[in-house]
Amino acid sequence: QVQLVESGGGLVQPGGSLRLSCAASGFIFKPHVMGWYRQYPGKQRELVAMITSGGTKNYVDSVKGRFTISRDNAKNTVSLQMNSLKLEDTAVYYCNALHVEVPWGQGTQVTVSS
């Protein structure tokens, strides 16, 4: 069985930081392009950051310069460092591989509020 598990979300003030982590059972991240997605209520999931097997990173414009995606293949984890958080970053955040069908995990809630 394949299971993705996201963690690290929480409640932070605007301008604060969080670090999200993604781990898996039954799935090896190393050969895959991995991404972090977020989902607002009533909206589709949005890809916000991705990292290739070679370490090349890309971001949606709204998070560029604030978020950093990274991977640790030895630990089979993918992380998202989130700095300078804004109210509009409030969402459920998910990780997944981009080009293979893997069941979505439960996500982790990020809430930015004063």
Side-chain angles (χ1 to χ4, degrees):
Q1 61 280 295
V2 177
Q3 184 173 336
L4 299 173
V5 180
E6 300 91 346
S7 62
L11 175 64
V12 296
Q13 295 183 16
S17 297
L18 285 172
R19 187 175 180 87
L20 309 184
S21 294
C22 174
S25 62
F27 185 72
I28 305 300
F29 292 161
K30 184 176 180 179
H32 299 288
V33 181
M34 298 297 299
W36 280 97
Y37 301 74
R38 66 185 176 192
Q39 186 171 33
Y40 302 125
K43 299 293 185 70
Q44 293 183 253
R45 289 185 187 92
E46 171 193 29
L47 180 66
V48 298
M50 56 169 282
I51 182 168
T52 70
S53 60
T56 300
K57 303 171 182 180
N58 285 283
Y59 305 91
V60 69
D61 285 345
S62 61
V63 310
K64 191 172 184 178
R66 300 188 298 118
F67 292 7
T68 303
I69 189 171
S70 61
R71 65 194 302 159
D72 186 336
N73 290 333
K75 295 181 178 179
N76 203 42
T77 59
V78 179
S79 298
L80 186 68
Q81 179 67 45
M82 309 166 68
N83 298 327
S84 301
L85 284 161
K86 303 176 178 180
L87 297 179
E88 53 264 42
D89 295 320
T90 296
V92 179
Y93 285 74
Y94 302 85
C95 66
N96 215 322
L98 269 68
H99 304 301
V100 296
E101 186 174 348
V102 176
W104 295 95
Q106 83 286 354
T108 187
Q109 175 72 49
V110 171
T111 302
V112 184
S113 177
S114 298

